[in-house]
Amino acid sequence: MKKSGLLLVLIMSVVMLPSCNNSNNNGKDREVTLYAMNDFHGAAVYNKSSSELGILKQGTFFKQKGKEKNTLILNSGDMWQGSIESNLNYGQFLTEVMNTVEFDCFTLGNHEFDWGAKYITSNMQISSSTPFLASNIYHFDIENKKVLDHADELGEKYTIKTLESGLKDGIIGVIGSDQITSISSQFADEYTFINPEEVIKEISDDLRVNKGVDIVVVSAHASAADMTSKYGGIAEYSSVSNKKYADVVFCAHSHQYEFEYVNDVPFIQASSNGVAYSKVTLNYSKGQVQSYEATNTENLALDISEYDTSLSNLYNKYKTETDAIGSETLAYVSGTLYSSGTNSIANLVVKAIADEATNQGFNIDYSMCNNGRASVKGNVTYADLYTALPFDNEVFIVKALGSEIRNEAKYSSNYIYRINEESLDDTKYYTIAVIDYLALHRNSSRNYDYFPSAEIIGKLTKDGQSIYNYRDITHDYLLKNSKITASDYSKNLSQFKLI
């Protein structure tokens, strides 16, 4: 990667591919230009310190590009979850943005499931112009470990776009099969993500042979590294269509700048949180893609001075609603509580959880959560807390073996607070307040694996709230302790360690 001023351009490759002999040898040269975003995570508001340009600038850019001839605009998932501006309306704001921009597809990512499938369905119902894609998401009988029918209520298997040139593009949207383990199991138990390669090959053959599609695009909520190492067969030639299964693959999930290729098929990803976008131009003639040019560009380079009126109206409507709640100042933090590491906001969270569990009459030994998503310092608002703790994890009270607690505590992404003054005995059961993602986690075989022995004995609740999640528990803790010193929440302190 080369960085020059505010512009980060990764000119990945300009590749000329060999011609093939077929009935379209006399076909004229035609191009399709594809722009893609991934892992936006609700980053609707401009944030100079993190290079997040917000939805007004990026949305205006994509809408302008979408009006150009022979152009497609893609979104490869994890769009909604991550900020108060999106979370408070369960993604509706950003779904309406996608309608306004007229994205040509929206592939579901793992974080689209964070509020349960019902919110995917409700957002899909208001998506008038952007097709939701969920090619490899199927219903699942978890008791019998049996794959059932396709989950049509969550998205389509593919979409076909015919360009002004007459070129037909088929877009297949998939999610990595192992990402079923990245969703709280209570929201994932009725679904499974089947092998993307098998699905892509089957759909590609149908698109090329039966639907007259010229170019097959894959929008994958999986990293380029995973797509090439696990599902690289999609770059091979099909014995059915005599063409490659995929001509280009847009990737996501790992929040990286990536470019890899297999058999001259580009696999590309552009970071996360709206800091960059991917662009791929394909030249098509004589029945196949003859060349491509692929780049990633940092959004700070976007020369957008006037925002689209429809986007501005949407932004102002939802921002006004969320500002009324998000502007509440909760506490002043002296120093910095980082997203992870020694002085992490997660240490404050586990202390808040432990205090609340005790206040609600639970005699716990430990509390546990995983790391945050952003740092906080100075005057911390509710919007700041949302960005740091964007998920709606509930807190369960469970009895679990000491060995399981020890195993989970060893991971750097997990944080623990200790009330029990005794040394942990691997063979004894202890009571622990723990977020649902950890307490109910299942492995790829769909068996409980983090706390397999756990017995759920309750959960933290609050009158007037249907869910009292770990963020709101932390919100109440900050209000009660309005002056916070970051060094008081260090992993080096004994209460944040096992003995």
Side-chain angles (χ1 to χ4, degrees), residues 133-200:
L133 298 183
S135 304
N136 65 326
I137 302 180
Y138 280 69
H139 294 118
F140 189 66
D141 177 352
I142 197 163
E143 183 177 348
N144 297 301
K145 306 291 177 67
K146 183 179 179 181
V147 179
L148 304 175
D149 57 326
H150 182 257
D152 294 338
E153 75 278 11
L154 302 185
E156 305 170 41
K157 290 186 177 182
Y158 62 86
T159 186
I160 298 175
K161 303 291 180 178
T162 302
L163 305 178
E164 290 84 355
S165 66
L167 204 63
K168 291 182 72 173
D169 295 75
I171 308 173
I172 305 169
V174 297
I175 185 172
S177 57
D178 58 346
Q179 289 177 45
I180 197 71
T181 67
S182 297
I183 302 168
S184 289
S185 64
Q186 71 267 36
F187 297 135
D189 280 356
E190 62 181 298
Y191 299 103
T192 191
F193 305 157
I194 67 176
N195 188 308
E197 183 172 331
E198 296 174 6
V199 171
I200 292 167

Side-chain angles (χ1 to χ4, degrees), residues 60 118-119 149 154 169 190 249 291 301 339 371 377 401:
T60 298
K118 66 179 181 179
Y119 288 106
D149 57 326
L154 302 185
D169 295 75
E190 62 181 298
V249 183
S291 65
S339 58
N371 55 24
K377 63 180 179 178
L401 272 171

Side-chain angles (χ1 to χ4, degrees), residues 117-342:
K118 66 179 181 179
Y119 288 106
I120 299 176
T121 300
S122 64
N123 276 289
M124 187 170 68
Q125 289 170 348
I126 66 172
S127 180
S128 58
S129 63
T130 300
F132 283 32
L133 298 183
S135 304
N136 65 326
I137 302 180
Y138 280 69
H139 294 118
F140 189 66
D141 177 352
I142 197 163
E143 183 177 348
N144 297 301
K145 306 291 177 67
K146 183 179 179 181
V147 179
L148 304 175
D149 57 326
H150 182 257
D152 294 338
E153 75 278 11
L154 302 185
E156 305 170 41
K157 290 186 177 182
Y158 62 86
T159 186
I160 298 175
K161 303 291 180 178
T162 302
L163 305 178
E164 290 84 355
S165 66
L167 204 63
K168 291 182 72 173
D169 295 75
I171 308 173
I172 305 169
V174 297
I175 185 172
S177 57
D178 58 346
Q179 289 177 45
I180 197 71
T181 67
S182 297
I183 302 168
S184 289
S185 64
Q186 71 267 36
F187 297 135
D189 280 356
E190 62 181 298
Y191 299 103
T192 191
F193 305 157
I194 67 176
N195 188 308
E197 183 172 331
E198 296 174 6
V199 171
I200 292 167
K201 288 181 174 181
E202 179 182 352
I203 295 175
S204 174
D205 283 342
D206 180 49
L207 291 176
R208 292 202 192 272
V209 175
N210 301 318
K211 305 295 192 305
V213 163
D214 301 299
I215 291 175
V216 173
V217 179
V218 172
S219 171
H221 193 78
S223 69
D226 273 356
M227 289 300 296
T228 55
S229 64
K230 297 179 181 178
Y231 318 119
I234 63 175
E236 298 171 354
Y237 281 89
S238 165
S239 60
V240 176
S241 71
N242 295 317
K243 296 183 180 181
K244 294 175 184 176
Y245 293 106
D247 293 303
V248 59
V249 183
F250 290 93
C251 301
H253 187 59
S254 63
H255 298 192
Q256 296 174 311
Y257 288 104
E258 288 185 299
F259 174 75
E260 299 184 41
Y261 63 88
V262 176
N263 197 21
D264 292 322
V265 173
F267 293 70
I268 189 168
Q269 179 187 182
S271 191
S272 65
N273 291 73
V275 303
Y277 66 89
S278 298
K279 176 186 176 183
V280 175
T281 300
L282 303 174
N283 178 275
Y284 182 92
S285 67
K286 300 180 181 180
Q288 73 166 1
V289 172
Q290 298 292 341
S291 65
Y292 65 80
E293 180 178 354
T295 66
N296 280 331
T297 303
E298 190 175 63
N299 280 337
L300 284 175
L302 294 183
D303 184 19
I304 305 291
S305 57
E306 293 186 13
Y307 301 137
D308 178 81
T309 301
S310 297
L311 284 175
S312 293
N313 290 339
L314 269 177
Y315 180 89
N316 291 332
K317 171 191 171 184
Y318 282 101
K319 190 74 165 59
T320 299
E321 294 174 358
T322 55
D323 277 354
I325 299 172
S327 60
E328 176 191 17
T329 298
L330 308 179
Y332 180 84
V333 175
S334 176
T336 302
L337 289 170
Y338 296 94
S339 58
S340 59
T342 302

